[in-house]
Amino acid sequence: MNEKRIPLSKTELEAIASEYPTPFHIYDEKAIRENARAFYRAFSWISGFNNHFAVKACPNPTILNILREEGMGVDCSSLAELVLSERVGFKGDQIVFTSNDTPPEEFIAATRLGAVINLDDIGHIETLEKSAGLPELLSFRYNPGEARTGNVLIGQPQEAKYGITTDQVGEAYRRIRDKGVKRFGLHTMVASNELENSYFVETARMLFELAVKIKRDCGVDIEMINMGGGIGIPYRPEDSAIDLSEISRGMQKLYGQIIVPESLDPLKIVFECGRLVTGPYGYLVSRVRHVAHKYKDYVGLDSSMANLMRPGLYGAYHHITVPGKENMPPGRTYDVTGSLCENNDKFAIDRPLPEIEAGDLVVIHDTGAHGYSMGFNYNGKLRSAELLLRDDGSVQKIRRAETIDDYFSTMRFPGAPVSI
Ligand SMILES: *Cc1c(COP(=O)(O)O)cnc(C)c1O
């Protein structure tokens, strides 16, 4: 169980909304910092432990800078994410580049920044070699196929487009070694939003055993293991948060059993978690435009899938709180919708909530990761602002809302004199 609370009262939210019109995402800086510190404490036995925050989860420079100040690195998978990270001040091995179907210019940018490149496919060795040249340290993403089960969000490993297969591992590492690569990493990511502690211990076991196999078969010493992201968060009140210290203890035991006897110690272990880092500390704040009574009862918000796609895309649960009505009984059942002409533009279906009226504020929880960033402009809907609730309780705008001119800025209208 976890308590789904919002860090702001109705009065405080109304005051914020009077300055920054709804909808907006607001992130809780204090909670993000405290959570980051707890993450590092849990894995302090690992020399060189790091989490490379998956930029795609919350690509906002202010948030990235907070994480940089807390000692985190970044995980990028596109040119824009690399450039964003560079502009925030990340460099060298603080940046991991885990991409797929990668164009040469992205390998060139990653190489220029000194990022740790994580190849998704054996065929990408040649693309990297021809575009930027092979670096001293190179990593591969491993896909265990049928050896592991995935989950709903990411699918089964053998159906996933990512990573090299078990049969390709030996050839992949031999090939890069023969081409002069000197240092080697190993990465995997097999689950997403996973809440089972043991799943990650098993992933560590799989990677530790594979590192041993690579050493024995190819004479290649893996020096860095990247556990990927995918640690889940308790979106539902009845979910339990993951226990990082339990995962850490399980990994430490396996490290002693598998890595140390093979003289692979010290092995650097890193993660690429996004959701765990910012997910629970972001909130989408909207206002109710209409309450409609049709075959069902609908609460229509001033936000839409453009602001938060997960419920419509995956049927994901996001908890909803009506500020000021936290203690009222959830005596009504509503579909909470946006305004897109798409019937899956619903934040919640058949959700028990207190009686809602037009003008109420509605807070959607856990939008700090894969929230704003998944937004799109379908139906000409504009993406909202992002706000930061600072350590000292003040509020700062860290991204303005899109304007209709932003939306039109890439279009050429008939007869327009200006070139685009
Ligand atoms: C999306 C992604 C992550 C982050 O996933 P979370 O669920 O946010 O932890 C990490 N690594 C890779 C390669 C990804 O694609």
Side-chain angles (χ1 to χ4, degrees):
M1 283 293 286
N2 72 99
E3 223 180 322
K4 286 294 188 189
R5 296 197 359 185
I6 47 178
L8 293 158
S9 68
K10 178 180 179 197
T11 314
E12 288 166 330
L13 277 169
E14 285 291 3
I16 297 168
S18 69
E19 195 170 341
Y20 308 101
T22 57
F24 53 79
H25 288 267
I26 186 163
Y27 307 108
D28 182 347
E29 176 177 9
K30 186 156 175 273
I32 290 173
R33 287 189 187 275
E34 283 170 2
N35 180 58
R37 289 170 199 173
F39 194 179
Y40 280 78
R41 271 199 306 278
F43 290 93
S44 56
W45 62 272
I46 297 168
S47 74
F49 174 79
N50 208 348
N51 182 63
H52 294 268
F53 179 70
V55 172
K56 71 171 193 254
C58 192
N60 182 296
T62 305
I63 301 292
L64 294 179
N65 194 47
I66 289 170
L67 299 175
R68 193 184 61 76
E69 287 173 359
E70 294 299 333
M72 266 188 210
V74 277
D75 166 43
C76 301
S77 58
S78 68
L79 183 61
E81 290 178 0
L82 284 167
V83 173
L84 176 56
S85 300
E86 178 185 24
R87 290 184 59 180
V88 171
F90 292 97
K91 34 175 145 2
D93 66 3
Q94 294 174 319
I95 307 172
V96 166
F97 185 58
T98 303
S99 57
N100 67 95
D101 195 18
T102 314
E105 58 272 23
E106 296 192 355
F107 282 135
I108 292 168
T111 301
R112 178 177 62 75
L113 293 174
V116 176
I117 294 175
N118 200 9
L119 292 183
D120 183 67
D121 184 65
I122 203 159
H124 295 184
I125 300 171
E126 206 187 329
T127 315
L128 175 60
E129 190 177 23
K130 284 194 178 146
S131 54
L134 296 184
E136 186 186 273
L137 166 65
L138 193 54
S139 179
F140 281 104
R141 179 172 187 161
Y142 170 60
N143 180 333
E146 288 176 355
R148 294 298 297 278
T149 45
N151 65 11
V152 177
L153 284 193
I154 209 164
Q156 296 305 335
Q158 68 270 30
E159 299 289 337
K161 65 175 178 172
Y162 307 113
I164 58 173
T165 68
T166 305
D167 288 346
Q168 292 170 336
V169 169
E171 190 193 336
Y173 283 94
R174 269 187 227 109
R175 210 189 278 181
I176 60 171
R177 180 200 55 203
D178 294 348
K179 287 177 180 290
V181 172
K182 296 276 180 293
R183 298 166 56 208
F184 305 89
L186 172 63
H187 166 278
T188 201
M189 174 150 171
V190 278
S192 185
N193 193 33
E194 178 59 51
L195 281 172
E196 195 64 56
N197 297 320
S198 60
Y199 195 93
F200 296 96
V201 179
E202 285 313 302
T203 297
R205 182 197 302 277
M206 173 184 87
L207 292 177
F208 290 173
E209 286 175 348
L210 189 59
V212 169
K213 187 168 181 337
I214 292 168
K215 181 176 171 113
R216 290 187 183 159
D217 292 357
C218 319
V220 160
D221 279 9
I222 298 291
E223 65 168 57
M224 179 172 142
I225 280 195
N226 183 336
M227 296 274 296
I231 297 184
I233 58 169
Y235 284 101
R236 293 172 184 270
E238 63 270 26
D239 288 340
S240 295
I242 210 102
D243 182 349
L244 290 178
S245 46
E246 188 180 322
I247 296 174
S248 175
R249 276 195 304 277
M251 284 172 63
Q252 191 171 13
K253 191 164 156 224
L254 293 175
Y255 188 91
Q257 289 168 351
I258 302 170
I259 295 299
V260 175
E262 292 289 329
S263 307
L264 280 166
D265 172 55
L267 184 64
K268 178 172 168 173
I269 303 174
V270 302
F271 280 87
E272 291 174 346
C273 289
R275 191 184 317 271
L276 175 75
V277 176
T278 52
Y281 314 113
Y283 305 84
L284 174 59
V285 180
S286 307
R287 202 178 286 283
V288 177
R289 277 193 187 133
H290 302 100
V291 178
H293 307 284
K294 309 187 182 188
Y295 298 105
K296 300 174 86 172
D297 291 337
Y298 293 96
V299 171
L301 303 184
D302 59 3
S303 54
S304 71
M305 268 178 101
N307 309 105
L308 179 67
M309 182 98 105
R310 299 186 69 259
L313 188 63
Y314 317 120
Y317 181 95
H318 278 262
H319 198 68
I320 294 178
T321 296
V322 188
K325 297 188 176 177
E326 287 94 337
N327 299 319
M328 284 173 53
R332 303 297 301 266
T333 301
Y334 294 110
D335 280 13
V336 181
T337 77
S339 52
L340 282 195
C341 289
E342 259 300 330
N343 197 38
N344 59 353
D345 182 25
K346 292 184 178 179
F347 297 110
I349 297 174
D350 297 331
R351 181 72 56 90
L353 286 165
E355 171 99 38
I356 290 177
E357 293 144 78
D360 280 351
L361 287 175
V362 164
V363 175
I364 303 179
H365 292 243
D366 301 309
T367 69
H370 313 295
Y372 178 93
S373 57
M374 271 191 188
F376 61 165
N377 284 134
Y378 188 55
N379 247 191
K381 295 292 176 184
L382 306 174
R383 277 165 295 213
S384 76
E386 293 183 295
L387 308 180
L388 182 67
L389 176 62
R390 310 278 308 268
D391 268 345
D392 62 6
S394 62
V395 172
Q396 187 179 42
K397 180 154 63 173
I398 58 174
R399 186 197 300 261
R400 70 162 170 82
E402 285 175 336
T403 64
I404 200 160
D405 290 331
D406 292 330
Y407 181 73
F408 289 132
S409 65
T410 55
M411 301 178 191
R412 183 178 188 280
F413 287 90
V418 286
S419 60
I420 43 171

